[in-house]
Amino acid sequence: DTGVSQNPRHKITKRGQNVTFRCDPISEHNRLYWYRQTLGQGPEFLTYFQNEAQLEKSRLLSDRFSAERPKGSFSTLEIQRTEQGDSAMYLCASSALGQGIGGSPLHFGNGTRLTVT
Amino acid sequence: AQSVSQHNHHVILSEAASLELGCNYSYGGTVNLFWYVQYPGQHLQLLLKYFSGDPLVKGIKGFEAEFIKSKFSFNLRKPSVQWSDTAEYFCAVLISGGYNKLIFGAGTRLAVHP
């Protein structure tokens, strides 16, 4: 399977703990995105990388959140001092650069479901 | 701020019924429009997309959508649904200069009964 891979699939943690998620995009894709999805809502944009450069961050991404893509390949999303409100599905997506504003469509992973107790 | 509205949160249909899911967006500039589908337990998958040209676009599994610029709408249609179409459907918009950043609607959960 050459799709977007996310690990772990599920994470249960206690409030105050730190968690880290990993995303492996489709290998030839330059662009990588993190989204968050809560129950009854569509995915909300968190941050975007083009190769290793983090080019955009949403205001949803508080200072407890940090994302990296050190070599322009896989990416990690870390949440420090987790809060119950962080409970959500965290989605990773990738796409290739393309002409025009469309580029190639986003390909999503299965997500990491975080539960903060 | 740009936003996407999906009018129906839950839709229940019988097999062979026709489907139309509404989607409106708020942005006055150039947009690309998408419908994604999420089947139970699976990841989001692209159903169809509109970039330019013919405003009536056809996607996989018999779905189609019509872009009506004057109404800022991109409604999804299927003439005859099947039980296997049971899923959640998300409309999304990509605005110019937005780094391919999709803005999603809240989704419509479709249940098709045999």
Side-chain angles (χ1 to χ4, degrees), chain A residues 39-94:
Chain A
L39 202 62
Q41 298 297 320
E44 297 174 294
F45 170 79
L46 292 180
T47 190
Y48 160 70
F49 289 85
Q50 184 166 309
N51 300 311
E52 67 277 9
Q54 188 174 21
L55 297 185
E56 191 169 354
K57 291 171 62 174
S58 164
R59 285 172 291 180
L60 293 174
L61 217 63
S62 75
D63 55 6
R64 295 185 297 106
F65 288 70
S66 62
E68 294 183 342
R69 194 182 184 198
K71 296 183 180 179
S73 57
F74 73 92
S75 176
T76 58
L77 177 67
E78 181 183 15
I79 309 174
Q80 296 181 326
R81 305 181 303 281
T82 52
E83 301 172 356
Q84 287 186 323
D86 297 331
S87 295
M89 177 74 84
Y90 290 84
L91 299 170
C92 178
S94 69

Side-chain angles (χ1 to χ4, degrees), chain B residues 22-34:
Chain B
C23 173
N24 286 88
Y25 64 93
S26 63
Y27 183 69
T30 303
V31 294
N32 291 167
L33 297 157
F34 303 79

Side-chain angles (χ1 to χ4, degrees), chain B residues 14-65:
Chain B
S14 298
E15 276 193 318
S18 64
L19 170 72
E20 181 160 2
L21 302 182
C23 173
N24 286 88
Y25 64 93
S26 63
Y27 183 69
T30 303
V31 294
N32 291 167
L33 297 157
F34 303 79
W35 277 95
Y36 277 82
V37 60
Q38 189 167 27
Y39 297 104
Q42 296 187 26
H43 60 273
L44 282 161
Q45 301 172 43
L46 181 67
L47 200 55
L48 49 78
K49 63 184 185 287
Y50 171 79
F51 281 5
S52 62
D54 188 344
L56 184 64
V57 293
K58 295 190 183 300
I60 60 172
K61 304 186 180 183
F63 285 91
E64 65 178 30

